[in-house]
Amino acid sequence: MSEQHQFQAEVGRLLDIVANALYTDREIFLRELVSNAADALDRLRYAAIADPALLENDPTLKISIAFDTGARTVTVSDNGIGMTKDELAKNLGTIAHSGTRELLHQIDGKKDLNLIGQFGVGFYSAFMVADKVTVLSRKAGAEETWQWESDGKGAYTLAEHIKDARGTEITLHIKDDASEFLLEDRLKQVVKKYSDHIGFPIEVSGATVNEGSALWMRPKSDITKAQYKEFYHHVSGALQMDEPWLTLHWKAEGAFEYTSLLFIPEMKPFDLYDPRRQHGVKLYVKRVFITDGLDGLLPPFLRFLKGVVDSEDLPLNISREMLQNSPMVAKMNSAITKKVLDALQEKAEKHPGEFYQFWSLFGPVVKEGLYDAHAHRLQLCKVARFHSTYNKHEDKDNVESLVSLDEYVGRMKEGQEHIYYLSASDLQTAKNSPQLEAFKAKGVEVLFMIDTIDEFWIPMQNDYLGKKLKSITRGEADLSKVKGGDKKETKEEQEKSAADAAPLIETLKEILKGEVKDVTLSERLVDSPVCLVAPESDVDIHMQRILKKSADYDKRHQHILEINAGHPVIKKMEGLSANDELLKDTAFLLLDQAKILEGEPLKNPTEFVRRMSQAIEKGLLAG
Ligand code: ADP
Ligand code: MG
């Protein structure tokens, strides 16, 4: 008796794409099946630590590939962990990976071949070369065998079957146009090309084709770039076009021994900010796979890493919970983190162009370490890069526009005590901020903090090499100690401007009551009439905006409006009487303009438009 089941809708769509897409690399189906078989062997070996009986009388773990030209079939078998009936239905009838699901939604509708080529479709790639796939599987330790079968067109069947040993046997009924895969040499060539790194023997027609030792245990000099890449795809289940941006392979010796082979991807994973996301580094103990994504093995800010860590010293029979709290794992964590940061620092210094590529994808994640990884704080400060007003190639968003804290400190002006920064929602808003004017006039560099995480780590760090990190949109801007680039006005002229503006400030406070916390004279403006800042004791204005998104944020956190006493508009306003409608309209116009520059919504857009139209009309009629 066989039962008929429908595929999950998303699988149906995926199969549709697989069947219709013009793959240039159809041969990768074999890589996917061999990779799954190797995982199944890994899992059996681990399970057998606790339960050696699982190995029964079949202890030699291997993968076999056979073909039958007459029947037009290729069969990939393993004596690994196997699948129960429920597992067959779940693993081969649904899509568990959120990344694949996400990608499917993106390519939905538009048959974008480029995008399709980007992701490995795993088991389902079998349908690129087969019009029917039969999977026989017996779970290790179980009695019964189940058969899963499908033509990849919406449904599959499940039936009880007979098989004399544990493991999985996948038979592909080869399509007419895929006969090349019925040739022994072709099969061997594909295995050699993609699966040489697999640590289990892979036999084609009885002869072992691959090297058969774990790639990470081989000497670096024996490993080609192509082999590293293939291993990367195997270990990460990576998108087909994704290459490792960085490959780190080293053996640690001494008090505790381990070998690491780690990769930084060149593409951003879809779930990078999903709180449930685990890192992609597998833990092995003496070549035995133990677990994926172990929490204590890497800090969360390195969760984009993929690869393998193989320890010589951890006990094999140890639970995941015990591993998580093991002091040995904690030591590996800190040594691995240091090694990765060393490599990043070197890249940043020696190959800034390549580093820029990395930083624009993963920079915000690495900066999370500045918030919660105190042990690595100094090194993280050396790796971190920022946009800044120091830009050799004006307005080009490229590698040249990124600076390090060390570079910043090296360029500080005589008399400058702080590291100045400006927070904004994006680079353009930051560059256009009026608060920058006095800093630009004085030639004082300002860093741009444009990632949400910046608002969180900056208060934690406070300083770098004794230099305080100071926001230029909060509190007072006192640049008087910085030498050079002083305002054109003399001290007396400035004092006079300030005295003249005093009555206007009082009037504005009255007019804008409830709109701003205060109105004060500005030290940071040159060309603009007004700007908004946060009080010294409060959170920064950009942070206020982030907090406001949550409904319970207290409305009392209001901005301060700073006015530029030297500006012609302000001087003109000084001449108007306190109850003149024109003064009131201008005050609101200036406030609204400042808000727009901050990227903040206007309280009353209709009023803004009315005032603006009036002002334009007046300007035109006067001209
Ligand atoms: P992935 O390998 O990325 O999980 P696949 O589509 O390649 O995705 O495989 C889906 C799932 O089917 C695997 O995660 C595994 O649980 C199961 N599976 C596939 N092939 C085998 C096999 N040979 N032995 C045991 N389980 C397998
Ligand atoms: Mg797979």
Side-chain angles (χ1 to χ4, degrees):
M1 262 306 285
S2 85
E3 312 166 2
Q4 175 107 3
H5 296 262
Q6 294 303 120
F7 283 118
Q8 181 191 36
E10 279 146 337
V11 176
R13 208 149 65 222
L14 183 62
L15 282 166
D16 215 36
I17 292 165
V18 170
N20 295 312
L22 295 169
Y23 274 96
T24 45
D25 295 328
R26 289 205 295 187
E27 63 191 29
I28 59 110
F29 80 91
L30 199 54
R31 169 186 83 187
E32 298 296 329
L33 297 185
V34 167
S35 168
N36 286 347
D39 288 346
L41 295 175
D42 263 343
R43 281 161 54 208
L44 175 71
R45 193 156 58 180
Y46 178 62
I49 297 167
D51 184 4
L54 288 178
L55 290 170
E56 293 168 47
N57 41 11
D58 185 14
T60 313
L61 304 182
K62 64 172 185 184
I63 300 164
S64 312
I65 300 167
F67 61 96
D68 181 333
T69 330
R72 294 186 60 82
T73 58
V74 171
T75 302
V76 180
S77 327
D78 64 72
N79 52 356
I81 191 82
M83 284 177 273
T84 62
K85 180 191 176 192
D86 286 351
E87 286 168 341
L88 279 167
K90 181 171 160 284
N91 297 339
L92 308 184
T94 62
I95 295 178
H97 298 287
S98 54
T100 309
R101 241 182 290 140
E102 175 77 14
L103 252 168
L104 268 174
H105 289 302
Q106 286 201 13
I107 57 178
D108 201 19
K110 50 187 162 103
K111 285 242 149 79
D112 184 337
L113 290 177
N114 251 332
L115 260 179
I116 294 164
Q118 278 182 26
F119 62 105
V121 288
F123 168 78
Y124 302 110
S125 61
F127 289 98
M128 293 192 294
V129 297
D131 42 30
K132 188 168 86 178
V133 176
T134 311
V135 181
L136 271 187
S137 198
R138 198 171 104 191
K139 182 91 177 182
E143 293 295 320
E144 77 260 35
T145 297
W146 282 86
Q147 175 184 280
W148 177 103
E149 193 167 75
S150 176
D151 61 2
K153 295 199 173 69
Y156 61 90
T157 57
L158 280 173
E160 194 150 13
H161 217 274
I162 302 162
K163 185 176 185 293
D164 51 16
R166 67 155 194 269
T168 303
E169 192 181 293
I170 300 179
T171 301
L172 314 184
H173 303 265
I174 297 294
K175 285 182 183 172
D176 287 343
D177 66 357
S179 303
E180 59 185 300
F181 299 111
L182 293 167
L183 300 173
E184 181 169 345
D185 284 349
R186 182 77 172 107
L187 291 170
K188 283 184 171 164
Q189 177 220 354
V190 179
V191 170
K192 195 83 193 145
K193 179 169 171 191
Y194 295 106
S195 309
D196 197 40
H197 58 81
I198 299 281
F200 300 99
I202 307 170
E203 296 177 351
V204 177
S205 310
T208 302
V209 182
N210 65 327
E211 193 96 13
S213 65
L215 184 87
W216 61 91
M217 296 308 291
R218 301 183 205 165
K220 266 161 104 162
S221 52
D222 288 1
I223 306 173
T224 65
K225 212 176 156 201
Q227 281 174 320
Y228 273 130
K229 188 179 152 186
E230 275 318 318
F231 182 74
Y232 167 67
H233 283 148
H234 165 68
V235 80
S236 67
L239 313 174
Q240 249 166 273
M241 278 168 22
D242 189 8
E243 300 221 2
W245 175 78
L246 188 70
T247 302
L248 286 172
H249 186 188
W250 80 98
K251 191 173 161 71
E253 274 155 345
F256 52 99
E257 273 183 37
Y258 63 90
T259 303
S260 288
L261 174 49
L262 302 180
F263 303 97
I264 294 178
E266 156 193 86
M267 288 182 186
K268 191 156 143 181
F270 291 93
D271 55 351
L272 192 57
Y273 292 101
D274 185 337
R276 284 160 305 179
R277 184 191 159 79
Q278 301 174 318
H279 64 75
V281 176
K282 294 174 191 287
L283 178 67
Y284 281 70
V285 173
K286 298 190 195 74
R287 260 63 68 216
V288 177
F289 170 70
I290 303 294
T291 181
D292 285 305
L294 183 75
D295 257 351
L297 188 61
L298 286 178
F301 76 86
L302 291 180
R303 61 183 175 275
F304 47 82
L305 284 178
K306 309 268 189 188
V308 163
V309 172
D310 190 346
S311 157
E312 298 295 327
D313 309 309
L314 280 171
L316 270 169
N317 50 353
I318 178 171
S319 73
R320 210 185 147 91
E321 290 65 40
M322 280 173 71
L323 272 175
Q324 232 142 34
N325 305 313
S326 143
M328 193 121 64
V329 170
K331 274 186 197 154
M332 283 203 283
N333 178 322
S334 117
I336 292 168
T337 304
K338 177 160 188 327
K339 191 85 178 183
V340 172
L341 288 177
D342 281 345
L344 287 178
Q345 199 180 331
E346 188 182 322
K347 267 276 199 228
E349 279 158 19
K350 295 199 179 134
H351 307 281
E354 284 174 42
F355 188 78
Y356 182 80
Q357 191 197 346
F358 162 80
W359 191 254
S360 48
L361 294 184
F362 299 112
V365 176
V366 175
K367 281 193 279 184
E368 288 174 20
L370 286 168
Y371 177 69
D372 60 12
H374 301 286
H376 301 283
R377 173 198 150 154
L378 211 60
Q379 215 179 355
L380 280 162
C381 283
K382 299 220 172 279
V383 168
R385 291 292 183 275
F386 305 90
H387 289 283
S388 100
T389 49
Y390 180 83
N391 189 345
K392 282 179 272 181
H393 302 258
E394 196 45 48
D395 279 340
K396 251 205 220 140
D397 179 18
N398 65 8
V399 48
E400 305 292 350
S401 61
L402 285 182
V403 306
S404 69
L405 287 177
D406 282 334
E407 285 163 357
Y408 183 99
V409 171
R411 278 194 291 265
M412 279 171 64
K413 292 264 164 194
E414 202 186 326
Q416 181 183 347
E417 289 170 355
H418 308 307
I419 297 173
Y420 291 106
Y421 70 89
L422 171 87
S423 293
S425 53
D426 58 83
L427 193 56
Q428 213 45 52
T429 309
K431 283 180 177 173
N432 293 338
S433 294
Q435 291 94 334
L436 284 172
E437 289 170 3
F439 292 84
K440 278 188 178 157
K442 280 238 173 194
V444 172
E445 182 175 357
V446 177
L447 300 176
F448 296 138
M449 302 294 180
I450 53 176
D451 295 315
T452 305
I453 185 69
D454 294 328
E455 303 299 331
F456 295 89
W457 71 260
I458 292 173
M460 303 290 294
Q461 292 299 340
N462 204 26
D463 76 290
Y464 177 65
L465 303 178
K467 311 271 186 291
K468 207 164 141 41
L469 288 157
K470 197 161 165 31
S471 165
I472 68 159
T473 58
R474 193 177 79 204
E476 284 175 25
D478 184 11
L479 290 175
S480 58
K481 283 188 195 157
V482 181
K483 298 261 181 332
D486 284 318
K487 286 193 182 172
K488 285 186 202 77
E489 288 177 320
T490 62
K491 203 156 187 299
E492 290 73 49
E493 281 169 332
Q494 282 178 40
E495 274 165 11
K496 183 171 182 311
S497 289
D500 289 349
L504 175 65
I505 287 180
E506 289 313 310
T507 313
L508 287 177
K509 279 185 193 170
E510 202 49 48
I511 294 174
L512 299 175
K513 202 178 211 156
E515 304 290 327
V516 293
K517 187 179 180 115
D518 202 1
V519 180
T520 59
L521 262 190
S522 185
E523 289 292 329
R524 63 197 110 210
L525 293 173
V526 177
D527 300 319
S528 300
V530 298
C531 71
L532 291 169
V533 298
E536 179 73 52
S537 59
D538 212 333
V539 290
D540 208 352
I541 45 173
H542 180 51
M543 184 61 162
Q544 288 191 9
R545 209 150 41 247
I546 293 173
L547 292 174
K548 264 185 203 159
K549 284 181 193 156
S550 59
D552 57 347
Y553 182 72
D554 193 345
K555 270 217 143 161
R556 283 171 305 161
H557 295 266
Q558 278 182 332
H559 301 333
I560 293 172
L561 184 73
E562 286 194 353
I563 65 168
N564 178 357
H567 195 278
V569 169
I570 301 294
K571 288 209 154 44
K572 195 91 187 175
M573 288 169 84
E574 285 165 9
L576 298 173
S577 89
N579 43 22
D580 191 328
E581 276 300 308
L582 182 60
L583 180 62
K584 191 181 160 203
D585 280 343
T586 313
F588 273 98
L589 264 184
L590 289 177
L591 174 64
D592 282 349
Q593 282 182 11
K595 283 188 176 174
I596 289 172
L597 278 181
E598 293 296 334
E600 226 167 87
L602 299 186
K603 215 174 179 181
N604 191 338
T606 319
E607 274 296 282
F608 172 72
V609 170
R610 179 188 66 75
R611 289 178 182 125
M612 194 59 159
S613 308
Q614 238 169 33
I616 293 172
E617 213 170 283
K618 252 189 209 133
L620 284 177
L621 294 181

